[in-house]
Amino acid sequence: MTFNYANAVPKTTTNATEAILKAAADPKVISFAGGLPAPELFPVAAVKRATDRVFDQYGEQVLQYAGTLGYPKLREQIAHLMRGRKVKATVENIGIATGSQQAIDLVARMLINPGDVVLVEDPTYLAALDVFRADGAQVVGVAMDDDGMRMDDLQQKLTANPTAKFIYTIPNFQNPTGRTMTAARRQQMVKLADQFGVPIVEDDPYGAIRYAGTTVPPIKHYDRTGSVVSISSFSKMLAPGLRIGWITADPAFLQKYTLLKQNADLHTDNLTQYIIAQFLTDEDLQAHVQRITAVYEQRAKLMLAEIDRHFPADVYHSQPEGGMFIWVQVPGEIDSDELAQRCLEKNVAVVPGSAFYAGKAQPGTFRLNFSNMNDDQIKTGIKRIGEVLTDLGGQ
C-alpha cells in the first residue's frame, strides 16, 4: 500500500540524528558525532538504590496513571533547582516532559502554524530544526559570533519578520558550537522580545556542566513579562535514558501545555519521575555534576590541545566553557558532507555542519563531541581528522 503522508512527515528518508547514533554504536568507529554523555559516569548504583526505595514505598502508586504536569514532589525539586539558577519558580511554573526533546516539540506545536517564522541561531540544534520544519515553520537563521547570537542581526530579523512566532536559543555551551551568550546579550534579547512581542524559547540542557569562565544567569532570569519559556533536562546531569525534562513557564502557558501533552502521552513515565525524585532526596546532585564536569573539562582541554597540534593552523575552533561540543570551521569552500565522509573512511565520525543551518550552510564546518571518548580515542581520532584536513588542502 502507498500511504499519503501528511506534510509534517519529511519527504526525504535521510535521518541525520539516526546516522549519528548509528556511527556512535559502531565499535570500530571513534565517534565524536553523538552528543552522548560518558556512560562510565552514570550513577548506576545510586539510581538502583533509589529505584528499590521507590518500589518499597510506592510500588502500586508508581505503576498507575498520574497527572499530566508530573509528580508534584519532583516538580517542587525542579523549582528549587531553578531558583538556584536565579529563576523565580514555584511548583506551579514547572511541567514535566519526556526529555527536553518532547518539550521542544510540544512548545513548537503550541505556537507554530504552517508558514509562521521561527528565529534561530545559525547554526543550531538539528533536532529542533526538524521539529520546527515538520510543523510547517519558515526557519530564519540569526548570525552568531563567539559571544552567541548577535543582537544587531536579531533586531534586523525581527524588524523584517514582525510576526515571528518565537526566538529559539541555546544560550549555554550551544549545540553545535559550544558558545555561550553573554549576560548583556541575554538582557538585550529579552528587551527585543518584549519590544516586538515575540516570545523566547530558551533551551538549556547543558548549563549545569560549566568548567571555565563565570556562570551567567538563564535568560528566564531577566524575564519580567512571562515572555520566556525555559526548557531543561536531567539527560546531561544524570542519564539520558531516564528521559526526564521540564519546562519553566507561567501557569497560563502550562495549562495549554497540559492539553497538548495529554494528546501526546497522557503523562511522562511515572516510575522514572519517582526514581529521580528519590535520587534528588537521597543523593548530592551537585557533587555528582561536579564529578562529570571535572572529566569533561579534562577531555575538552585534551581535544583542544590535539586540535592545535594536528589541525592546519588556519582552521578555526570554538573555545567552550562547558557542555560537550567544539565547533570547527575550515577556510575555503570544502564540502562539509564530503569532509565527514572522508573522516568516516578513517573510522572517525563527526557531524557535518550542513545539518545545523537554517539556511545556506557555511562550508567546511563540523561538530566534535568530546564527552564520550577516552583520552587515547581523542588523540587518535583528532590525528586522523587532521590528516583528512591536510589531504583536503589545509595549510
Side-chain angles (χ1 to χ4, degrees):
M1 176 180 286
T2 300
F3 290 92
N4 186 15
Y5 293 109
N7 292 335
V9 178
K11 302 299 184 290
T12 178
T13 57
T14 301
N15 187 333
T17 302
E18 182 64 23
I20 291 168
L21 295 175
K22 182 178 179 181
D26 187 337
K28 299 191 302 295
V29 174
I30 296 173
S31 179
F32 302 137
L36 279 65
E40 68 272 20
L41 299 176
F42 294 158
V44 176
V47 171
K48 183 178 184 302
R49 288 194 299 271
T51 303
D52 290 342
R53 289 179 182 136
V54 165
F55 273 117
D56 289 344
Q57 297 177 68
Y58 312 104
E60 294 179 356
Q61 186 172 338
V62 299
L63 297 177
Q64 185 57 277
Y65 288 113
T68 301
L69 277 181
Y71 179 31
K73 180 177 179 179
L74 178 60
R75 292 168 60 206
E76 177 52 52
Q77 290 168 317
I78 291 171
H80 176 76
L81 187 155
M82 293 303 295
R83 292 193 293 271
R85 297 179 182 180
K86 299 185 178 181
V87 172
K88 292 182 179 179
T90 71
V91 67
E92 301 301 322
N93 299 111
I94 305 298
I96 304 297
T98 304
S100 59
Q101 185 64 34
Q102 186 190 52
I104 294 169
D105 180 46
L106 292 177
V107 170
R109 287 169 55 196
M110 290 171 68
L111 298 177
I112 295 172
N113 289 314
D116 286 342
V117 169
V118 173
L119 302 179
V120 305
E121 292 151 342
D122 219 12
T124 194
Y125 175 43
L126 63 89
L129 288 175
D130 290 343
V131 167
F132 304 154
R133 288 166 175 159
D135 288 334
Q138 177 188 349
V139 186
V140 175
V142 181
M144 298 182 75
D145 59 24
D146 284 337
D147 290 328
M149 184 186 285
R150 282 176 33 199
M151 292 301 107
D152 60 334
D153 197 45
L154 175 60
Q155 184 167 5
Q156 291 179 14
K157 297 294 168 56
L158 285 168
T159 301
N161 300 278
T163 60
K165 276 303 182 73
F166 60 88
I167 304 160
Y168 172 76
T169 178
I170 310 168
N172 293 317
F173 324 129
Q174 195 242 16
N175 183 0
T177 66
R179 297 163 173 161
T180 296
M181 187 187 300
T182 63
R185 290 192 183 183
R186 296 177 194 219
Q187 294 176 70
Q188 189 174 358
M189 176 181 282
V190 171
K191 290 179 181 178
L192 286 171
D194 289 343
Q195 176 185 337
F196 284 89
V198 176
I200 298 167
V201 177
E202 175 183 30
D203 188 8
D204 186 24
Y206 313 105
I209 313 297
R210 173 179 284 278
Y211 47 75
T214 303
T215 299
V216 185
I219 296 172
K220 183 68 175 170
H221 167 76
Y222 303 103
D223 180 19
R224 300 293 180 268
T225 64
S227 62
V228 180
V229 175
S230 182
I231 297 172
S232 194
S233 170
F234 286 106
S235 290
K236 308 306 185 290
M237 291 188 289
L238 290 178
L242 296 172
R243 308 309 305 136
I244 298 292
W246 69 87
I247 71 171
T248 305
D250 280 3
F253 187 91
L254 286 179
Q255 288 179 349
K256 298 291 187 182
Y257 169 86
T258 301
L259 297 175
L260 263 71
K261 183 164 172 56
Q262 286 172 345
N263 293 342
D265 62 0
L266 295 183
H267 62 81
T268 294
D269 182 90
N270 200 28
L271 171 60
T272 307
Q273 292 186 65
Y274 271 76
I275 290 170
I276 291 185
Q278 191 68 45
F279 180 97
L280 296 177
T281 298
D282 297 341
E283 308 292 336
D284 187 339
L285 176 64
Q286 188 55 42
H288 175 68
V289 170
Q290 287 173 355
R291 287 192 292 272
I292 296 171
T293 302
V295 173
Y296 289 1
E297 177 181 17
Q298 185 273 327
R299 291 180 180 178
K301 287 181 177 178
L302 176 61
M303 182 173 280
L304 290 168
E306 293 299 305
I307 286 172
D308 290 339
R309 179 181 178 188
H310 293 292
F311 285 16
D314 56 353
V315 171
Y316 160 87
H317 64 76
S318 60
Q319 294 279 355
E321 296 179 339
M324 306 167 68
F325 303 113
I326 297 170
W327 183 247
V328 181
Q329 183 172 331
V330 183
E333 296 297 319
I334 293 175
D335 182 85
S336 296
D337 295 314
E338 178 188 354
L339 190 158
Q341 182 58 41
R342 293 280 290 273
C343 289
L344 198 56
E345 290 169 2
K346 286 183 173 285
N347 283 329
V348 58
V350 305
V351 188
S354 56
F356 300 101
Y357 282 91
K360 183 179 179 181
Q362 179 73 34
T365 53
F366 58 96
R367 189 192 74 180
L368 296 170
N369 166 262
F370 51 79
S371 61
N372 192 41
M373 293 288 108
N374 63 38
D375 290 3
D376 289 341
Q377 291 169 318
I378 289 173
K379 291 177 182 178
T380 301
I382 294 299
K383 185 174 184 294
R384 291 177 185 176
I385 298 173
E387 293 168 354
V388 170
L389 297 181
T390 299
D391 291 344
L392 288 172
Q395 300 297 315

